[in-house]
Amino acid sequence: GQNIDQPTEMTATEGAIVQINCTYQTSGFNGLFWYQQHAGEAPTFLSYNVVDGLEEKGRFSSFLSRSKGYSYLLLKELQMKDSASYLCAVPSNTGKLIFGQGTTLQVKP
Amino acid sequence: EPEVTQTPSHQVTQMGQEVILRCVPISNHLYFYWYRQILGQKVEFLVSFYNNEISEKSEIFDDQFSVERPDGSNFTLKIRSTKLEDSAMYFCASSGWVVEGYTGELFFGEGSRLTVL
């Protein structure tokens, strides 16, 4: 089965950089997704990593280490609108996404 | 940009009543999902649907739940006799491809908030 761990909450300051970690255990590995979810809204796709290394996409980057079962999402130049939950998710061997608990990020002025 | 649409956005019902939540997935997608999220908790998988049949369901998806794709565009989730603990946000999602466990990005609808009194 799959098991995903993320910190429950984080706080950061506007303009700063924050790293949100995710560790996972899976019976097989088919990539790792990060989604953003604002309160009361749907999850929206941020990134997908399937090979080791850092993928950069604007202010957001995602890193994967398959050997360590570890990923992180890096948010640069934080803005108030980045206050949201960040969900780490891995596909099962049947393709369905299994989500972690999510990390609620609060950005303060 | 193509999107998944869901109706209703919010439904209040009495315990024991039947509820149908509707979804229109992205038109060229083949894989459809229902997830639910109880307030303050994680997004949980309910059921996946492909080629007009359920491909997988979770322990949550018991005999009170059913899914249907009645007309080639709509994808519905029915709860036959709602319980208080069914109160949650229900998200429909669709994906363009699944190959040996690898999946394309899941696109989520805005959700249907179900409140059972």
Side-chain angles (χ1 to χ4, degrees), chain A residues 91-108:
Chain A
S92 70
N93 56 6
T94 58
K96 70 175 186 284
L97 278 191
I98 305 297
F99 286 87
Q101 183 70 28
T103 299
T104 300
L105 173 67
Q106 184 178 15
V107 180
K108 293 185 173 178

Side-chain angles (χ1 to χ4, degrees), chain A residues 10-82:
Chain A
M10 297 183 73
T11 302
T13 305
E14 193 175 14
I17 299 172
V18 71
Q19 177 175 311
I20 302 173
N21 296 324
C22 171
T23 57
Y24 62 89
Q25 294 93 40
T26 57
S27 52
F29 183 73
N30 298 309
L32 186 143
F33 289 81
W34 283 96
Y35 277 77
Q36 180 190 60
Q37 186 180 28
H38 284 98
E41 298 183 9
T44 55
F45 171 80
L46 289 177
S47 67
Y48 174 58
N49 294 69
V50 66
V51 296
D52 289 354
L54 187 68
E55 298 260 350
E56 297 187 66
K57 193 188 291 186
R59 292 190 300 115
F60 291 10
S61 303
S62 56
F63 171 84
L64 176 68
S65 169
R66 288 173 295 173
S67 62
K68 294 182 174 148
Y70 168 68
S71 173
Y72 67 72
L73 183 69
L74 193 70
L75 291 73
K76 301 176 188 174
E77 301 169 18
L78 279 174
Q79 302 175 8
M80 297 300 290
K81 67 178 182 180
D82 297 330

Side-chain angles (χ1 to χ4, degrees), chain A residues 35 37 42 45 94 96-97, chain B residues 35 37 45 56 102 105-106 109:
Chain A
Y35 277 77
Q37 186 180 28
F45 171 80
T94 58
K96 70 175 186 284
L97 278 191
Chain B
Y35 285 80
Q37 187 175 32
F45 169 77
E56 188 174 359
Y102 291 89
E105 169 192 345
L106 259 63

Side-chain angles (χ1 to χ4, degrees), chain B residues 24-91:
Chain B
V24 179
I26 293 172
S27 61
N28 62 348
H29 282 187
L30 300 176
Y31 298 85
F32 312 124
Y33 305 85
W34 283 100
Y35 285 80
R36 81 169 185 191
Q37 187 175 32
I38 295 170
L39 188 64
Q41 298 187 23
K42 68 179 181 180
V43 177
E44 299 177 288
F45 169 77
L46 290 179
V47 65
S48 56
F49 191 88
Y50 168 70
N51 201 25
N52 286 320
E53 61 183 23
I54 290 174
S55 45
E56 188 174 359
K57 56 185 180 181
S58 71
E59 293 175 353
I60 303 168
F61 195 89
D62 61 21
D63 291 343
Q64 294 300 312
F65 291 86
S66 62
V67 290
E68 200 175 41
R69 188 159 161 80
D71 57 13
S73 62
N74 290 284
F75 178 50
T76 63
L77 174 70
K78 182 192 290 186
I79 309 174
R80 287 190 186 80
S81 178
T82 50
K83 303 187 282 286
L84 295 177
E85 54 264 37
D86 293 328
S87 294
M89 182 75 96
Y90 288 81
F91 291 108

